[in-house]
Amino acid sequence: MRSVSEVRLTPVICPFCGFGCKLYVRSIDGVPAGIEFYDKGGVNEGKLCPKGVAAVDFLRHPERLRKPLRRVGERGEGRFKEISWSEAIKEVATRLKEIKKVFGAESVGFLSSARCTNEENYLMQKLARLYGSGNIDHCARLCHSATVAGLIKCLGAGAQSSPFTDILKTRVILVWGYNPAETHPLLMRYVLKAKDLGAKLIVVDPRRTRTARFADIHLQIRPGTDIALANAMMNVIISNDLYDRDFIVRRTEGFEELKKLVMKYTPKYAEEVTGVTAALIDEAARTFASAGRGVIMWAMGLTQHTVGTYNVVALADLALLCGYVGREGCGVYPMRGQNNVQGACDMGALVEFLPGYRPAAAEEKRREVAKLWGVDELPEPGLTVVEMVNEAGSGRIKAMYIMGENPVVSDPNTSHVIKALNNLEFLVVQDIFLTETAAYADIVLPAAAYAEKEGSLTSSERRVQWSFKAAEPPGEARPDWVILSSVARELGLKGFNYSSPEDILREINAVVPQYRGITPERLKSSPEGVFWPCPSEGHPGTMRLYEERFLTCNGKAKLVGVEHREPAEKPDREYPLILTTVRVVGQYHTLTMTGRSLSLVRRWPEPYVEVNPEDARRYGVSDGDEVYVVTRRGRYKCKVKVTSSIREGVVAIPWHWGANILTIDALDPTCKIPEYKVCACRIERVGGG
Ligand SMILES: Nc1nc2c(c(=O)[nH]1)N[C@H]1C(S)=C(S)[C@@H](COP(=O)(O)OP(=O)(O)OC[C@H]3O[C@@H](n4cnc5c(=O)[nH]c(N)nc54)[C@H](O)[C@@H]3O)O[C@H]1N2
Ligand SMILES: Nc1nc2c(c(=O)[nH]1)N[C@H]1C(S)=C(S)[C@@H](COP(=O)(O)OP(=O)(O)OC[C@H]3O[C@@H](n4cnc5c(=O)[nH]c(N)nc54)[C@H](O)[C@@H]3O)O[C@H]1N2
Ligand code: SF4
Ligand SMILES: [Mo]
């Protein structure tokens, strides 16, 4: 007898960006069948961008990993043999124990994943640290590590200060090195709504992006000169007495030093450095400071520089100077990238922070967490993402365990990354597909994807939401929390007997103070989620930070003056152009998921390089030509898109298709973010010239 099919609609958090849209997965007998626009509630009001609409496409793709794999061919060749889960877990644990015995636990690097839940990130960092390695990090390092370092200096915490709804109450929006029309389309809706309500929009970007086209003022800056521009805006604001004197006196310190420093950065001087006219700098500064309520939003155009931390400090100064923090309609919005990058940081999947931002370098904090986990001590902070790869190359790192990251495509300077991974004694990759990185693994562990498991995720506005299970994973794929618990137990580590994500979240409630009141029961029955910090179950959650005090020792914000510095690699005769790397709305990162959606691939099929018409003439290329973009690290073939929307002297490539073969692995010395946004290049026509 045939039974009637069961059709279900399950609320799930989008697996892509950090805006945190809720979508409804329609499943038939546990098989995902589509995305539904079901209710008008939630932060996205029932709307989705093209990626959200296509979010089930990859779930049943034939290339999904279904069984654990052991490598049989050479590294990188991609030849594997299926093995059982018990063999796989045993082999991972045995090899990791051997390596620890011979080389020490600090010779192993662990990468956690901003695509996984809070519970899974919590487990990954717990596993790494109880194994004895302080080398635990994830892609936040490549993304907003500069924000965390910079904002902690000035405000005492690294998170977005205010909810998205405050954007609708503001009068000026300063968007800096950020292109939400492509990268957070649902946030762009808020920006456009605010504009309709009368807010002014100022955009700082070397390209006239789809965001900049809506701007009242567009400052088309030369890449890598952001500090000079921000300082000049502060110069105008202070010289014309447009700053919030009362706020400066009551709530900040360091004003006189800041004033002294920015006085050198006249608009005229900044014009030479940044390529933005002094008149436009003056207009932007006046518009921003005189609005009365303002927000600043930034992302990778600001952070991915060797001066990333200082860039963030300069924007924090600018916000503080105008008193645009801690009030309704005001705030700093470092827009988080991945769907759970905020949560992965909160959980302590970072070298420098234990769960809840306890500094890992502080012995008493390590002891505090060790006690909660029932052990005597925890390792000191170790190596960051790019440093681990460098040390794999040098031989100091012997093994890596990578969950839900694809560094062969996403780290800077690809040839260098591949050489390093080839040098490892042992590599485990836990993913949903056999990625470019998994091709170098000794053991590949098949993970369940977002809609195939449950757990909590934290969006850019610190909103914690529960994502429900909509479908069964393919084959023998298992949720990451299940895999990590098995590996930890096989390693002989204590405290990994979890029977559900709820179990793990209860431990998080006890260990992460900001999440104390965000219990599984509460989250599962709150469709809107709960904002952290939330110190108790009765607490409503905190939507706006800094209303009374900053999270610094004395409660006052710090104004810190910073000087402009040149990027690591400047254009010269041989490499006369600046290369920057960007994103497009319909593709996501290393294409493992969006690259497997027919509808997205049809509309966003291939890479290209944006070239200004003057540069096209100068270098003899026309629209549609095939060219090589060449840097000191490599060469990359793609088509030319001639467009006046990019500054002369600058070219841009969407990096999804592998452009990191070109980028430089220079790091910000403070936070170790790579300089993805500036290096020197030239273009050559394919076939000579
Ligand atoms: N469709 C899509 N959406 C995404 C992602 C994706 O891959 N695809 N990724 C997500 C993630 S993890 C992140 S971190 C965010 C990133 O979101 P964004 O930061 O918006 O993305 P990018 O395109 O990398 O960079 C933004 C802008 O910085 C500009 N820029 C380049 N150099 C400079 C500079 O020196 N100064 C200034 N002021 N601007 C500069 C570029 O021209 C670009 O328009 O997007 C998230 N959303
Ligand atoms: N040139 C250049 N490079 C950049 C940037 C840039 O602007 N320019 N931006 C940087 C930034 S901001 C970021 S955030 C990084 C992103 O770098 P990565 O995090 O390395 O890139 P993703 O493609 O998001 O990789 C996520 C991986 O997780 C897998 N995955 C998805 N869901 C799950 C799951 O539930 N479980 C498991 N185990 N795996 C899963 C996916 O298949 C994929 O392989 O890239 C950085 N690289
Ligand atoms: S805006 Fe971000 S969270 Fe919303 S549907 Fe698009 S990718 Fe998903
Ligand atoms: Mo990111």
Side-chain angles (χ1 to χ4, degrees):
M1 203 179 82
R2 276 187 61 194
S3 58
V4 181
S5 294
E6 190 201 6
V7 181
R8 273 193 303 149
L9 277 188
T10 311
V12 167
I13 303 305
C14 176
F16 297 111
C17 90
F19 188 73
C21 293
K22 189 191 292 175
L23 38 89
Y24 286 83
V25 172
R26 176 163 38 86
S27 61
I28 304 173
D29 293 335
V31 177
I35 297 290
E36 297 274 339
F37 300 87
Y38 178 62
D39 70 6
K40 300 276 167 263
V43 59
N44 50 316
E45 300 173 309
K47 300 205 164 33
L48 298 170
C49 86
K51 296 180 297 302
V53 175
V56 292
D57 295 7
F58 66 87
L59 286 176
R60 287 288 145 153
H61 194 280
E63 285 162 10
R64 275 294 299 277
L65 290 170
R66 304 168 73 87
K67 292 264 289 179
L69 304 174
R70 178 190 288 133
R71 182 166 56 80
V72 289
E74 291 298 305
R75 277 192 201 278
E77 221 177 70
R79 281 200 295 129
F80 291 89
K81 172 176 169 282
E82 293 187 349
I83 56 175
S84 71
W85 268 111
S86 59
E87 278 176 283
I89 300 289
K90 196 168 225 127
E91 181 149 342
V92 170
T94 309
R95 297 295 307 272
L96 289 180
K97 278 194 230 168
E98 278 169 13
I99 287 167
K100 181 169 170 176
K101 202 182 258 165
V102 181
F103 302 105
E106 63 284 358
S107 70
V108 180
F110 294 82
L111 293 186
S112 200
S113 175
R115 308 299 279 285
C116 288
T117 63
N118 288 327
E119 293 72 30
E120 291 162 342
N121 278 284
Y122 178 81
L123 284 200
M124 184 52 140
Q125 60 83 35
K126 184 176 177 185
L127 188 160
R129 288 179 165 128
L130 288 184
Y131 171 79
S133 171
N135 308 320
I136 167 73
D137 214 20
H138 77 283
C139 72
R141 188 67 48 197
L142 314 174
C143 188
H144 270 297
S145 58
T147 295
V148 174
L151 286 188
I152 285 183
K153 240 188 241 299
C154 299
L155 311 179
Q160 180 176 320
S161 71
S162 316
F164 293 137
T165 45
D166 263 1
I167 297 165
L168 303 175
K169 300 171 189 154
T170 198
R171 303 180 59 92
V172 65
I173 302 173
L174 176 54
V175 172
W176 202 301
Y178 174 37
N179 184 13
E182 306 266 358
T183 56
H184 292 111
L186 271 292
L187 177 94
M188 192 62 191
R189 281 185 77 236
Y190 280 69
V191 172
L192 295 178
K193 269 195 205 167
K195 268 206 78 173
D196 283 345
L197 296 169
K200 288 271 187 287
L201 177 62
I202 307 172
V203 174
V204 182
D205 199 301
R207 302 183 303 140
R208 196 173 70 250
T209 58
R210 294 208 301 150
T211 307
R213 283 179 214 161
F214 291 97
D216 297 285
I217 303 173
H218 176 201
L219 308 174
Q220 198 159 6
I221 190 174
R222 186 176 291 138
T225 62
D226 300 270
I227 291 175
L229 181 62
N231 281 353
M233 285 176 69
M234 290 192 267
N235 178 307
V236 173
I237 292 168
I238 294 175
S239 308
N240 293 284
D241 232 357
L242 295 170
Y243 60 99
D244 186 338
R245 197 177 293 264
D246 175 59
F247 183 88
I248 294 292
V249 172
R250 274 191 307 112
R251 302 210 48 192
T252 72
E253 52 192 30
F255 176 73
E256 288 306 323
E257 291 89 332
L258 176 72
K259 179 174 169 181
K260 206 165 132 212
L261 186 138
V262 301
M263 281 308 133
K264 290 188 293 190
Y265 289 82
T266 60
K268 202 76 219 132
Y269 168 67
E271 174 173 326
E272 280 165 39
V273 179
T274 64
V276 181
T277 64
L280 211 53
I281 297 175
D282 187 82
E283 189 192 340
R286 287 170 190 274
T287 306
F288 183 68
S290 56
R293 286 195 304 278
V295 303
I296 307 187
M297 300 174 177
W298 67 86
M300 298 305 101
L302 189 82
T303 58
Q304 292 173 336
H305 295 277
T306 43
V307 292
T309 307
Y310 292 157
N311 277 350
V312 171
V313 167
L315 289 201
D317 287 340
L318 187 53
L320 289 167
L321 206 51
C322 301
Y324 289 167
V325 191
R327 283 194 285 134
E328 193 178 67
C330 293
V332 288
Y333 291 75
M335 285 299 306
R336 279 344 191 240
Q338 301 252 48
N339 63 335
N340 198 34
V341 66
Q342 182 62 53
C345 294
D346 303 342
M347 294 304 118
L350 288 173
V351 166
E352 70 271 48
F353 293 115
L354 297 162
Y357 300 98
R358 293 177 178 92
E363 207 191 327
E364 77 277 9
K365 296 293 174 192
R366 289 203 302 276
R367 229 178 282 125
E368 183 184 319
V369 177
K371 201 166 155 217
L372 289 165
W373 289 343
V375 295
D376 294 333
E377 54 181 21
L378 294 178
E380 289 183 26
L383 303 169
T384 61
V385 175
V386 178
E387 290 174 318
M388 282 185 220
V389 170
N390 287 344
E391 295 300 338
S394 78
R396 193 173 133 205
I397 287 287
K398 301 289 181 195
M400 287 185 77
Y401 189 151
I402 302 178
M403 168 175 82
E405 295 215 336
N406 191 7
V408 167
V409 186
S410 60
D411 276 12
N413 192 357
T414 308
S415 334
H416 172 75
V417 178
I418 289 176
K419 239 184 252 159
L421 294 187
N422 263 324
N423 208 24
L424 288 172
E425 300 270 335
F426 186 59
L427 174 62
V428 189
V429 172
Q430 182 170 314
D431 206 293
I432 60 175
F433 288 105
L434 193 69
T435 60
E436 292 81 352
T437 304
Y440 291 85
D442 296 279
I443 297 286
V444 179
L445 303 174
Y450 75 109
E452 300 157 357
K453 60 185 177 189
E454 277 193 278
S456 67
L457 297 104
T458 307
S459 78
S460 187
E461 56 179 349
R462 292 174 283 104
R463 187 197 292 261
V464 188
Q465 305 183 91
W466 192 263
S467 189
F468 290 86
K469 178 176 170 179
E472 292 304 322
E476 294 177 19
R478 292 180 180 172
D480 293 284
W481 68 268
V482 175
I483 306 173
L484 292 171
S485 304
S486 315
V487 171
R489 284 196 302 263
E490 190 71 29
L491 278 168
L493 305 178
K494 275 194 303 189
F496 284 88
N497 288 319
Y498 305 100
S499 57
S500 65
E502 287 89 334
D503 255 9
I504 306 168
L505 181 51
R506 266 178 224 115
E507 181 171 323
I508 294 169
N509 296 151
V511 175
V512 179
Q514 296 88 336
Y515 281 63
R516 191 144 294 153
I518 309 180
T519 60
E521 294 72 26
R522 182 171 176 192
L523 260 196
K524 290 171 86 170
S525 59
S526 316
E528 307 281 292
V530 183
F531 284 75
W532 74 253
C534 178
S536 68
E537 261 207 271
H539 192 282
T542 313
M543 291 175 80
R544 204 174 289 121
L545 299 177
Y546 317 130
E547 283 183 311
E548 257 121 57
R549 60 191 309 275
F550 290 96
L551 297 170
T552 50
C553 300
N554 62 2
K556 286 196 167 194
K558 309 248 177 319
L559 293 161
V560 183
V562 285
E563 300 272 11
H564 164 69
R565 264 199 297 130
E566 297 287 343
E569 191 179 65
K570 287 201 317 188
D572 54 21
R573 275 180 61 111
E574 216 182 329
Y575 300 97
L577 293 162
I578 295 176
L579 167 68
T580 195
T581 54
V582 301
R583 293 166 160 81
V584 295
V585 65
Q587 291 297 354
Y588 198 85
H589 290 172
T590 69
L591 304 178
T592 63
M593 293 143 85
T594 51
R596 289 184 168 91
S597 159
L598 219 54
S599 61
L600 294 178
V601 169
R602 237 183 253 139
R603 172 71 184 78
W604 291 273
E606 57 180 9
Y608 51 83
V609 55
E610 291 178 1
V611 181
N612 178 281
E614 286 305 317
D615 289 320
R617 206 164 308 136
R618 192 167 299 135
Y619 301 107
V621 297
S622 337
D623 197 62
D625 279 0
E626 285 231 300
V627 291
Y628 288 114
V629 179
V630 188
T631 68
R632 291 190 172 83
R633 272 87 36 208
R635 53 176 51 225
Y636 185 70
K637 197 158 112 177
C638 61
K639 281 193 181 143
V640 171
K641 187 186 224 171
V642 176
T643 165
S644 60
S645 68
I646 189 158
R647 255 194 89 88
E648 208 182 318
V650 184
V651 300
I653 305 181
W655 66 273
H656 312 290
W657 288 269
N660 274 320
I661 191 86
L662 299 172
T663 51
I664 188 167
D665 44 356
L667 305 180
D668 177 327
T670 312
C671 69
K672 312 290 167 80
I673 198 170
E675 191 149 63
Y676 289 118
K677 287 294 188 264
V678 183
C679 70
C681 77
R682 64 165 178 265
I683 42 183
E684 294 171 0
R685 252 211 322 246
V686 171

